Amino acid sequence: MDKPQNNRAWFMVLPVLLLVAFSAIIPLMTVVNYAFNDTFGNNAFFWVGVEWFKETLESDRMWGALQRQLIFSFTILAIEVPLGIAVALAMPKKGVWASVCLVLFALPLLIPWNVVGTIWQVFARIDIGLLGYSLGLIGIDFNLGQNASAAWVSVIMMDVWHWTSLVVLLAYAGLQSIPDAYYQAAKIDQASRWAVFRYVELPKLKGVLLIAVLLRFMDSFMIYTEPFVVTGGGPGSATTFLSIDLVKMALGQFDLGPAAAFSIMYFLVILLVSWAFYTIMVNLDREEERNE
Amino acid sequence: MSTSTVQPTDKAGLRRLASYAMLIVYLLFLILPIYWLVNMSFKPNVEILNQLTLIPQNPTLGNYANILTDPTWYMGYVHSLTYVILNTVISVTVALPAAYAFSRYSFIGDKHLFFWLLTNRMAPPAVFVLPFFQLYSSIGLFDTHLAVALAHCLFNVPLAVWILEGFMRGVPKEIDETAYIDGYSWFRFFTRIFMPLISSGIGVAAFFCFMFSWVDLLISRTLTSTEVKTIGVAMTRTSSATGLDYGTLAAAGVLTIIPGALVIWFVRNYIAKGFALGRV
């Protein structure tokens, strides 16, 4: 990529810079301020150093939320990625049916998140929901409000329902970009279906799958609205993930210091994963150029 | 049937059958919860609560009528649409020149800036709720459409920049150069020649800004109270009230799905691209 050096291009970027700085940097400064200070109100702050970080790192509550968050994120990844690849492989390659599949698959992606929550809340209820009621008929007590495992199954099923299509669409886009010649070569070699997948399709899908994994990890790592509507983080704190816990802390209890310290650590994780995402993107672009 | 000559086709046929079965099961899994919501939206509350029926026994449009006649409901849509459209316009407008700069020039700090934008797309809204609340309260914008629209810029501007940059890099640089030689000013070139070339990219960016602003609940709920009651807030209020009005809730949910369902056909080939920030 031989782009001419031109520092006046900064003027074109300036509006974006100002706008995002306004909505990102100023709030983050506030967070940093709270993280290192304590207050008795009246805007009087005094320095407490890393006290809040210590407190947060020593609290079981934070570790509990983090643990649940990691279990949640890795579970949905373990389900959505293989399922997404399998569905993408099963999809018609072209024609009207391919379009119909794309449209139907994409539908859950475009539903407001609180409505996704509402849909699953009513779908899983034992009295008026199809799922909960049917499970009740075969003798499974699926009471979201009291049964922690039912709550977990619901939020995981909901996320699989909501986001597997994203993996499908990405994998499908990746499959579309494989030239026919590759398949013909494999046919001449009499490669088995598995061999075609393993040595032709999977290597070509590597890039999009990495994007899918990172996007799904990030978005599930900050999930708030859907589980909040379905379970409210309960029963107890069984489905209280990081964001739910943070909002509870910050807006519910106004524990500004711990919430801010929590936020900063949360943000560092995000930064790390974003960096991985960025590196992969840059490498993909470079690879594409080499192939052209 | 068991001769070796037909076996390969048999196997391929079985595999195709398995593929179709899998697609159908997956589609059913996707459709069932939505069907249930739509089904509920056409039932009176008595029927919802007293019997489980697969199709409404007494189909009614009462739930929809409730929404269209009650200002707290229909104004919810108006308020939500207002800040969503405001946000989409702001995001795409500021992102256009920036994406052009990123795709055409290298300048000091460009890579860092591009990465920093990405981190904002990835940032958890939960981290920002409290500082946003304080920021917009202190500048007197709390409980206005503009506050929500500006707050959503946090993730939508980076999204728009990344998507547009992805489309712009596909346009050959020779076009720019020819236009400049022909005496076009930058602005005239950009609006007359370049923007029509990437019109599908602009459409996709606008669609995704619209969508991500439309699906958010947390930030819009935090930044509004009495003046601007968004549809998301109206829905969560109903679900936590004592006498649960499930029929109206379901109808409200169905109505929020409609904007996405209307445009989905036109953007079907770009959905993966949009979610992957223009990189697929």
Side-chain angles (χ1 to χ4, degrees):
Chain A
M1 190 93 54
D2 49 338
K3 291 190 279 194
Q5 176 85 22
N6 181 357
N7 281 324
R8 275 183 307 172
W10 262 101
F11 287 110
M12 300 186 203
V13 186
L14 203 60
V16 163
L17 190 67
L18 292 176
L19 193 60
V20 181
F22 177 73
S23 50
I25 293 183
I26 296 176
L28 274 183
M29 301 280 277
T30 324
V31 172
V32 172
N33 182 32
Y34 285 136
F36 294 100
N37 288 284
D38 199 357
T39 178
F40 294 120
N42 299 330
N43 265 338
F45 289 95
F46 58 91
W47 181 258
V48 291
V50 293
E51 202 58 36
W52 293 127
F53 289 88
K54 249 198 216 149
E55 194 186 306
T56 311
L57 284 174
E58 280 164 8
S59 79
D60 291 339
R61 179 178 164 177
M62 192 280 253
W63 289 111
L66 180 66
Q67 197 186 355
R68 286 188 290 273
Q69 181 69 68
L70 288 174
I71 294 174
F72 176 75
S73 290
F74 284 111
T75 311
I76 59 114
L77 276 179
I79 299 173
E80 289 174 11
V81 174
L83 181 63
I85 297 173
V87 173
L89 286 172
M91 261 178 81
K93 293 276 175 287
K94 46 183 174 281
V96 169
W97 287 111
S99 297
V100 170
C101 280
L102 280 180
V103 167
L104 289 174
F105 289 170
L107 200 55
L109 297 173
L110 308 180
I111 297 177
W113 297 345
N114 67 307
V115 179
V116 170
T118 307
I119 287 176
W120 278 86
Q121 223 265 333
V122 293
F123 190 58
R125 284 179 66 103
I126 38 175
D127 48 351
I128 62 168
L130 192 59
L131 177 70
Y133 186 81
S134 322
L135 285 176
L137 285 183
I138 55 170
I140 298 171
D141 173 32
F142 202 72
N143 195 335
L144 282 185
Q146 284 155 19
N147 185 341
S149 47
W152 265 91
V153 170
S154 310
V155 288
I156 285 174
M157 264 174 83
M158 173 179 65
D159 203 80
V160 169
W161 179 84
H162 190 183
W163 288 112
T164 302
S165 293
L166 178 61
V167 184
V168 175
L169 296 182
L170 285 170
Y172 180 73
L175 284 174
Q176 292 291 82
S177 68
I178 301 176
D180 243 4
Y182 282 60
Y183 289 109
Q184 277 155 12
K187 210 171 186 180
I188 291 167
D189 288 346
Q190 296 198 316
S192 67
R193 183 70 192 83
W194 169 252
V196 172
F197 175 69
R198 173 68 188 79
Y199 296 105
V200 178
E201 289 169 335
L202 201 57
K204 281 280 176 187
L205 287 181
K206 203 178 68 188
V208 283
L209 286 181
L210 275 170
I211 294 174
V213 168
L214 281 170
L215 278 176
R216 279 317 301 130
F217 180 77
M218 295 299 308
D219 288 345
S220 69
F221 206 69
M222 56 198 199
I223 192 166
Y224 173 83
T225 309
E226 302 95 312
F228 174 76
V229 174
V230 174
T231 64
S237 58
T239 51
T240 300
F241 303 124
L242 285 177
S243 277
I244 297 180
D245 203 22
L246 182 56
V247 173
K248 246 185 221 167
M249 218 188 273
L251 290 183
Q253 302 155 335
F254 265 93
D255 279 340
L256 301 185
F262 190 155
S263 297
I264 286 178
M265 290 187 277
Y266 202 169
F267 210 80
L268 289 179
V269 177
I270 301 295
L271 221 55
L272 200 71
V273 184
S274 299
W275 180 78
F277 188 88
Y278 185 75
T279 315
I280 290 166
M281 290 292 192
V282 171
N283 284 340
L284 277 183
D285 288 346
R286 220 173 278 151
E287 223 165 85
E288 218 168 82
E289 266 161 45
R290 217 179 301 134
N291 290 343
E292 270 162 15
Chain B
M1 282 303 280
S2 59
T3 54
S4 60
T5 42
V6 292
Q7 215 176 9
T9 39
D10 257 10
K11 223 172 156 187
L14 263 180
R15 197 173 288 136
R16 198 168 307 135
L17 209 66
S19 287
Y20 289 147
M22 165 142 195
L23 278 181
I24 288 167
V25 170
Y26 183 66
L27 274 176
L28 274 180
F29 172 62
L30 290 189
I31 298 298
L32 267 182
I34 299 178
Y35 146 74
W36 197 244
L37 188 79
V38 175
N39 182 21
M40 267 176 68
S41 75
F42 289 110
K43 290 182 193 174
N45 272 316
V46 187
E47 187 180 334
I48 293 175
L49 292 172
N50 291 335
Q51 60 195 122
L52 204 82
T53 46
L54 293 179
I55 41 170
Q57 300 300 306
N58 309 299
T60 169
L61 287 173
N63 299 317
Y64 291 95
N66 267 351
I67 289 173
L68 296 175
T69 51
D70 181 353
T72 53
W73 274 114
Y74 69 74
M75 283 312 284
Y77 290 99
V78 176
H79 289 313
S80 289
L81 280 173
T82 311
Y83 70 71
V84 167
I85 291 170
L86 202 57
N87 169 271
T88 306
V89 172
I90 296 175
S91 300
V92 175
T93 312
V94 299
L96 270 169
Y100 182 78
F102 280 119
S103 76
R104 288 299 192 264
Y105 303 114
S106 67
F107 46 93
I108 297 169
D110 54 353
K111 295 201 174 60
H112 300 287
L113 194 59
F114 207 49
F115 172 66
W116 175 64
L117 286 177
L118 177 73
T119 63
N120 289 311
R121 154 65 181 82
M122 301 294 194
V127 168
F128 285 90
V129 284
L130 182 71
F132 270 166
F133 176 73
Q134 294 184 325
L135 174 66
Y136 288 104
S137 300
S138 67
I139 56 174
L141 280 178
F142 179 72
D143 205 12
T144 59
H145 300 107
L146 188 61
V148 185
L150 285 176
H152 283 176
C153 284
L154 170 71
F155 45 83
N156 271 352
V157 169
L159 180 81
V161 172
W162 270 68
I163 291 178
L164 287 171
E165 200 268 348
F167 276 93
M168 285 178 185
R169 65 166 59 192
V171 179
K173 240 181 290 182
E174 286 71 24
I175 292 177
D176 308 31
E177 282 150 18
T178 322
Y180 294 140
I181 291 168
D182 285 352
Y184 275 84
S185 67
W186 180 81
F187 185 77
R188 230 164 77 89
F189 154 72
F190 195 77
T191 49
R192 295 286 171 76
I193 298 175
F194 198 69
M195 277 173 58
L197 279 176
I198 53 152
S199 54
S200 58
I202 296 174
V204 173
F207 171 74
F208 274 90
C209 288
F210 186 95
M211 235 40 244
F212 277 104
S213 184
W214 182 245
V215 298
D216 167 73
L217 169 77
L218 182 55
I219 288 177
S220 58
R221 191 187 61 186
T222 312
L223 291 180
T224 58
S225 71
T226 50
E227 288 293 312
V228 180
K229 275 210 176 98
T230 71
I231 185 62
V233 174
M235 284 187 67
T236 37
R237 194 192 46 218
T238 315
S239 63
S240 60
T242 41
L244 291 173
D245 189 357
Y246 281 111
T248 311
L249 183 67
V254 172
L255 288 178
T256 62
I257 300 177
I258 287 177
L262 281 181
V263 283
I264 198 169
W265 179 262
F266 304 103
V267 294
R268 65 183 184 281
N269 292 320
Y270 294 111
I271 290 171
K273 204 180 174 80
F275 273 102
L277 302 162
R279 299 302 134 130
V280 170

